[in-house]
Amino acid sequence: MSAKQVFTNTLVVLLTLAGAYLVIRLLDIIVLFVIAIIFASAISPAVAFLNRKLPLGISIAIVYLGIILVFAGILSLIIPTAVRQGMALVESGPDMVRAVERQIIELQQRFNIPVENLSGDLQEYYRRLISSAPRLAAGILNVTLSFISGLGAFVAILVMAFYWLLERRGVQSTWIGLASPSSRPEIRHIIDEIEAKIGAYARGQITLGFIVGIASFIGLTILDIKYAAILALIAGISELIPIVGPIVGAIPAVLIALSQSPKQAILVVLLYVIIQQMENHLLVPKIMQMSVGLSPLTVLFVVLAGGSLMGIIGVLLAVPVASAIQVILSHTLLRREETDTLYRENEKLETPSG
């Protein structure tokens, strides 16, 4: 190996290590940028529709204004009630724990369920909850500070998404121009397909969350379950988490219903099962028909992996990132394998038999 090759290989290794170090150090900014691209992809069809008759910047601004007005209207209806119910839920927490304890003990006695020391365990849990009140207060303060910093991150995402929509074609053309002329159309197609998939996924998840939240609120209100607004809000937000989200969103409602009566708890379980079945058989096929196309097992794996690596942000970004990787692989490695297989089959057909 010549001295020039040694120098080149060493330089490549050093640049790779420097790039990995920068990615680790700038991971928070990279995550914000990825979220901004997902958001931009979600609103891109609306922007493109307006851009037929209006300048691009004005089209983006109109879409932004519409989103802000819609969310402001929804939040003005939901947040005051949810905050009141949330505060009442915190205040009645000890009474609710004792009510759940009584219901479980009655069920245990009625059906002769052999659960030893259940009452003592629940009381011990309650004592730990009370003793951790100071830490809980500190945690609330941290959540408040995190929410304030989160607003700053949200504004940064909106700004990055705005400029991405404004300049994405120029930026993409610059990077695509580095590739060979023969591969540029394919790269452009891959980028467009990725944006279409993650945009459809984001719009579909938000739509599902909204519908599930409304359906949960109506059902819980009909069943006369306390704190229906905050429980519906939890159900709608948890819907953003694929596969496991609906289960997580149902648990608080079932526990609060159990504090009222076992019958109410059973009815709430049935309500969420019906909503989930409607979602799986009616909503998902219609709303998500243009979306990712990943198998449920793959979705579960990437969601768990994302949560393990990056917490809740990783859970939310796992499916869009996996979808983008799937598109890239389908146009590179998988297509190459299909081409090689087809070539071998044609070669066998063309080879004369002995």
Side-chain angles (χ1 to χ4, degrees):
M1 184 178 293
S2 65
K4 183 177 180 181
Q5 289 175 321
V6 172
F7 174 78
T8 302
N9 293 340
T10 304
L11 184 61
V12 169
V13 171
L14 291 175
L15 289 176
T16 302
L17 292 175
Y21 174 78
L22 286 176
V23 168
I24 295 173
R25 297 291 296 179
L26 301 176
L27 185 60
D28 292 342
I29 298 176
I30 294 173
V31 168
L32 289 181
F33 186 67
V34 171
I35 296 174
I37 291 179
I38 294 174
F39 175 74
S41 301
I43 66 173
S44 180
V47 172
F49 176 78
L50 293 175
N51 189 220
R52 296 174 184 173
K53 296 184 178 181
L54 297 173
L56 181 58
I58 295 177
S59 301
I60 301 171
I62 291 175
V63 173
Y64 268 42
L65 180 61
I67 293 173
I68 291 172
L69 291 176
V70 169
F71 273 90
I74 294 173
L75 292 178
S76 65
L77 295 174
I78 295 176
I79 292 301
T81 303
V83 169
R84 286 195 302 271
Q85 291 189 2
M87 294 176 64
L89 179 59
V90 171
E91 292 176 359
S92 63
D95 295 333
M96 194 167 298
V97 170
R98 287 191 289 270
V100 171
E101 178 185 0
R102 286 194 301 270
Q103 297 289 355
I104 293 176
I105 292 173
E106 289 178 7
L107 289 173
Q108 176 191 353
Q109 294 173 349
R110 180 181 303 175
F111 297 101
N112 196 24
I113 301 174
V115 182
E116 297 180 357
N117 201 29
L118 180 61
S119 177
D121 291 341
L122 286 175
Q123 290 176 5
E124 177 62 24
Y125 175 77
Y126 172 66
R127 284 194 293 270
R128 290 180 182 178
L129 184 64
I130 296 299
S131 64
S132 63
R135 293 195 300 272
L136 181 61
I140 293 173
L141 177 61
N142 290 333
V143 169
T144 303
L145 295 176
S146 299
F147 179 75
I148 294 173
S149 63
L151 290 178
F154 179 70
V155 172
I157 289 170
L158 292 180
V159 172
M160 286 190 287
F162 181 90
Y163 282 106
W164 174 255
L165 287 169
L166 201 62
E167 303 176 3
R168 62 173 181 158
R169 283 304 180 191
V171 173
Q172 290 174 0
S173 297
T174 300
W175 286 100
I176 292 173
L178 299 176
S180 61
S182 60
S183 60
R184 289 172 189 171
E186 181 73 8
I187 296 174
R188 173 77 68 183
H189 177 69
I190 291 173
I191 293 174
D192 290 342
E193 186 174 342
I194 290 174
E195 289 188 340
K197 276 184 171 287
I198 63 177
Y201 175 79
R203 290 191 300 272
Q205 288 296 98
I206 292 173
T207 304
L208 285 174
F210 181 77
I211 294 175
V212 168
I214 294 296
S216 301
F217 177 75
I218 294 173
L220 293 171
T221 302
I222 292 173
L223 295 176
D224 195 26
I225 304 300
K226 296 178 181 178
Y227 317 114
I230 189 70
L231 293 175
L233 186 61
I234 293 172
I237 294 175
S238 64
E239 188 66 27
L240 299 177
I241 303 174
I243 297 180
V244 297
I247 300 174
V248 173
I251 292 174
V254 174
L255 291 176
I256 290 176
L258 182 59
S259 70
Q260 296 179 224
S261 74
K263 178 182 177 182
Q264 296 289 81
I266 294 172
L267 291 175
V268 168
V269 170
L270 291 176
L271 169 67
Y272 277 88
V273 168
I274 291 172
I275 292 174
Q276 186 65 25
Q277 291 303 310
M278 289 178 59
E279 175 189 347
N280 292 336
H281 293 93
L282 297 178
L283 299 178
V284 172
K286 296 294 183 182
I287 296 176
M288 305 293 283
Q289 60 185 351
M290 295 176 59
S291 194
V292 292
L294 298 173
S295 69
L297 182 60
T298 303
V299 171
L300 181 59
F301 174 78
V302 298
V303 167
L304 293 176
S308 177
L309 293 173
M310 299 180 62
I312 187 64
I313 296 296
V315 169
L316 297 177
L317 295 182
V319 175
V321 172
S323 177
I325 294 173
Q326 181 199 40
V327 171
I328 294 172
L329 291 177
S330 66
H331 285 271
T332 53
L333 297 179
L334 298 180
R335 176 169 292 184
R336 193 173 299 128
E337 290 179 2
E338 291 176 0
T339 303
D340 293 342
T341 302
L342 183 62
Y343 175 78
R344 287 193 295 268
E345 291 177 352
N346 291 336
E347 197 174 46
K348 290 179 181 178
L349 292 175
E350 294 172 0
T351 303
S353 58

